[in-house]
Amino acid sequence: MTRVHTVAQGEHAASIAARYGFQDYETVWQHPENAALRKKRDPNVLLPGDELAIPDSITTPVACSSGAIHRFVLKGTRLLLRLRPLDAARSPMPRTSVELRTNSGTQNATTDDSGVVEIALSVRDREGVIIIGDREIPVNIGYLDPVEEQSGWQARLINLGYLAPFIDEPDPIELRGALEEFQHDHGLTLTGEPDPDTLSKVRDVHGS
Amino acid sequence: MANQIVLDGIGTSGGRKSAHPIRQLRTLLAPATGQQSNALCLSPSPVACWRMDDVRFGFDSSFVLPGARAELRLLKAVIDENPRCPASVFGHADPTGDDEYNKQLSGRRAMSVYALVTRDTAKWEELFTSSFGGDRWGAPEIQIMLATVEASAGGASVEGSTTLSSADQIQAVRAFQRENGLVVDGIAGPRTREKLFLAYMTALCTDDTTGEVLRLDPRVDFLGHAADAGGKGDVQGCGEFNPVLVFSSEEAQQFAAMQDHAGRDDQNVCNRRVVVFLFPKDSRIDPVNWPCPRTKDGTGACRKRFWSDGERRRTPAGNRRLYERDRDTFACRFYDRLAMSSPCEGAGEQSMFIVRLCDGEDKPIKNARCRVVHGQRIISGEANENGEILVQALREPPVCTIEWGFPGGPETEFSYSVELFVDVDTDDADVAASRRLHNLGYSSGPTMSDDVRGFQLDHGMTETGQLADIRAKLTEWHDGGDPPRGD
């Protein structure tokens, strides 16, 4: 018997699994009823409205003798925030300090020679601030939508520095400019449209 | 006339400076259980801009005229308001002449400004010795510089007389040489020019009232940090690719048919400009990845960045087009993104409103000390005799805080403060009305209905407590009537 959880914004497979008491998100994600979802989604990039089947919690009785000490290894999800900061000309930034502040606390790390940094996350971390040098960037972790959605490719183009953040509605001219510039930089046909080739490339270049 | 507190944009007869609206939003990221990662570009959008118009250059020339003092003061102000925000200089030409010619010309103007603020006399010497088309520095420019330097030093001003007799010219050169430890031969050769350039640059960059001097360090104050010998990332010419005004096809035809180009050149003047953008604090770019070519390079790299319909954009067709209204006159996508919210290029909506600062008993405070905080901008000022200030600001962020107190108090202490909506117009009529109501001082009631009643009571209206009933009156009072009160 399974329940169905409807994904809300900001949720990802690991955070949902944890809500239902599953330390390892794979127990939920690999459930046969999620096969269709697995085909089209990355577990960390879900869309509000997606339906995730949640198996019943599994109680596995283990026989142990009393009076002795027993070790249980909890297999949990190793959740990370992997970042690739880029400068104003979109070049990687190796050996740069990055700080992440969330409700769980503050962590510091340094990007490696290729400009990538990994910071451990708790499933409860949703809102935070990333600090690089003097720049403070408020972030929402787990809020990235699939690239096929307008909100998804727009957010990635913003992260890649092709589009300036907007408040209410994005300016269509800006959107087109961002797409064309991305297409130019990655050897795609300049259509100014979010066609499948472009979106696929956006996802690859962004990393998620 | 209320005393002005200008938060964001200020203009002079030859240019302007402004902040760009700041859009501070949350970045959306995906966590990783596998290989997922997130790019995170440190926003390459400018935070402020400055523009100097054609009038500050000699005709068809890259020589900076003495009047530029006013605009250089503005440049110093916008740089001081944005500490550690590196700059990049963009020169623009009008469409007269071919693409390659205009690229070089606009590049020379941009380089001239860059060299001026960094005191790079070698670059000015290069502009002097290698003339380009109509851009020829010679005796007239030497004369202007000598006169300006002399006037700055408190000497007799020869302003207004641009044609000295050759005897007088030689005398002026000799005088300068004498004062500057040079060989006194009356000839403005390279060594004399070097010192003259420096003295002239310094004179232009010195504010004669405050004595403050504008001087930038190429390795620190520009986006490319002088990593590239040709200035890539620091200074570039856009040629005629990004006009702010494109003639209508009819105008273009008429101008083409005329022998005398004065009319066309006049109309085109707004296109001939130098723009400086300031980028977020401590930004740096690797020149290798910067799309703009060097000032001396050709237009090849520019074309790679054209919109797919770039040619159409910058070419006259149909009606006259303006960047500030039509937003489609720039051929270069890259520049378009930088300039998109730049008030210096015509973008960005501003609000202006008069605020009367009152004390606890609603009496205006004459010459009240005040401070206005809007986003990251903080400006201090003083109200006029009626306690009024005129606040001019961009509409983002939508709220500003005004603090004020009695004159003569300690600098950072203010007795009163209020938050005002800078942007009262939204699509939602109720929100717009409630913002106006707040701005007019009715926001202390426990509910909106009480605030509405307060307004109705003060204006002799029936007390219904319904926002809809006072909407029209609110707009009338807020947008046209009594300045808001504060308490």
Side-chain angles (χ1 to χ4, degrees), chain B residues 39 72 88 144 269-270 303 328 397:
Chain B
L72 291 166
S88 196
I144 293 173
V269 71
C270 54
R303 289 182 188 284
D328 70 345

Side-chain angles (χ1 to χ4, degrees), chain A residues 138-145 151 155 159 206, chain B residues 26-30 38:
Chain A
V139 297
N140 280 7
I141 301 166
Y143 284 68
L144 189 66
D145 285 341
S151 55
N159 289 358
H206 180 263
Chain B
R26 304 197 80 87
T27 300
L28 308 180
L29 303 175
N38 300 276

Side-chain angles (χ1 to χ4, degrees), chain A residues 19-90:
Chain A
R19 264 183 69 166
Y20 290 92
F22 295 92
Q23 294 286 356
D24 181 1
Y25 85 99
E26 297 268 37
T27 314
V28 173
W29 187 246
Q30 295 300 338
H31 192 283
E33 282 185 37
N34 288 321
L37 192 64
R38 278 200 304 276
K39 275 211 181 72
K40 62 176 181 168
R41 293 283 186 249
D42 178 311
N44 294 297
V45 186
L46 300 176
L47 184 64
D50 281 346
E51 296 192 333
L52 189 62
I54 314 287
D56 282 338
S57 4
I58 307 156
T59 340
T60 315
V62 177
C64 307
S65 48
S66 56
I69 298 171
H70 303 275
R71 263 182 60 158
F72 292 93
V73 177
L74 210 61
K75 180 166 178 256
T77 307
R78 187 166 164 257
L79 198 63
L80 294 173
L81 183 64
R82 191 176 285 117
L83 285 172
R84 198 166 48 94
L86 304 171
D87 69 17
R90 286 186 223 106

Side-chain angles (χ1 to χ4, degrees), chain A residues 129-143:
Chain A
V129 181
I130 287 179
I131 297 149
I132 302 178
D134 236 342
R135 214 72 84 71
E136 287 195 11
I137 302 154
V139 297
N140 280 7
I141 301 166
Y143 284 68

Side-chain angles (χ1 to χ4, degrees), chain B residues 118-355:
Chain B
T118 55
R119 304 289 190 277
D120 194 333
T121 54
K123 291 202 166 64
W124 269 27
E125 177 67 11
E126 215 185 311
L127 290 169
F128 187 96
T129 51
S130 61
S131 59
F132 182 81
D135 183 9
R136 207 168 283 130
W137 296 29
E141 283 70 27
I142 301 279
Q143 217 171 285
I144 293 173
M145 290 190 275
L146 285 169
T148 308
V149 168
E150 210 187 325
S152 292
S157 168
V158 285
E159 263 189 84
S161 77
T162 44
T163 43
L164 291 179
S165 70
S166 23
D168 283 338
Q169 279 183 48
I170 295 175
Q171 279 305 96
V173 175
R174 291 177 83 101
F176 181 79
Q177 287 167 326
R178 218 171 284 129
E179 268 157 51
N180 288 277
L182 294 156
V183 169
V184 183
D185 60 3
I187 301 172
R191 286 207 196 93
T192 304
R193 288 199 293 267
E194 189 185 344
K195 296 218 167 172
L196 182 56
F197 289 157
L198 185 59
Y200 182 67
M201 289 174 173
T202 307
L204 253 51
C205 289
T206 305
D207 184 329
D208 39 26
T209 10
T210 63
E212 290 186 332
V213 178
L214 165 68
R215 182 171 181 160
L216 300 180
D217 182 343
R219 285 156 313 169
V220 174
D221 298 317
F222 291 87
L223 194 58
H225 298 265
D228 178 272
K232 210 159 179 260
D234 300 330
V235 54
Q236 44 268 310
C238 297
E240 55 181 275
F241 298 140
N242 301 313
V244 287
L245 159 67
V246 177
F247 292 146
S248 65
S249 31
E250 212 184 303
E251 282 173 311
Q253 270 164 16
Q254 281 169 5
F255 284 137
M258 288 186 216
Q259 294 284 50
D260 177 4
H261 294 304
R264 177 200 62 189
D265 289 343
D266 257 355
Q267 293 287 312
N268 248 328
V269 71
C270 54
N271 288 325
R272 305 192 287 273
R273 65 209 192 274
V274 171
V275 174
V276 171
F277 288 118
L278 297 182
F279 289 83
K281 224 181 246 195
D282 297 333
S283 312
R284 41 186 338 137
I285 53 109
D286 184 347
V288 165
N289 293 321
W290 186 251
C292 308
R294 300 178 183 89
T295 54
K296 292 191 185 149
D297 293 341
T299 60
C302 297
R303 289 182 188 284
K304 287 206 195 127
R305 291 284 164 167
F306 272 26
W307 291 91
S308 48
D309 64 342
E311 288 300 331
R312 176 197 71 76
R313 286 160 164 262
R314 63 172 179 126
T315 309
N319 294 329
R320 182 183 253 232
R321 281 176 294 128
L322 294 169
Y323 183 69
E324 66 183 310
R325 185 190 58 214
D326 302 293
R327 312 289 298 292
D328 70 345
T329 59
F330 291 170
C332 171
R333 255 188 342 251
F334 180 72
Y335 188 79
D336 212 336
R337 188 156 53 76
L338 296 181
M340 200 148 270
S341 7
S342 171
C344 292
E345 296 284 58
E349 289 175 31
Q350 293 209 5
S351 281
M352 255 181 13
F353 48 95
I354 298 177
V355 184

Side-chain angles (χ1 to χ4, degrees), chain B residues 402-417:
Chain B
I402 305 181
E403 300 166 297
W404 70 100
F406 293 94
E411 282 240 342
T412 46
E413 275 175 38
F414 298 96
S415 317
Y416 310 101
S417 92

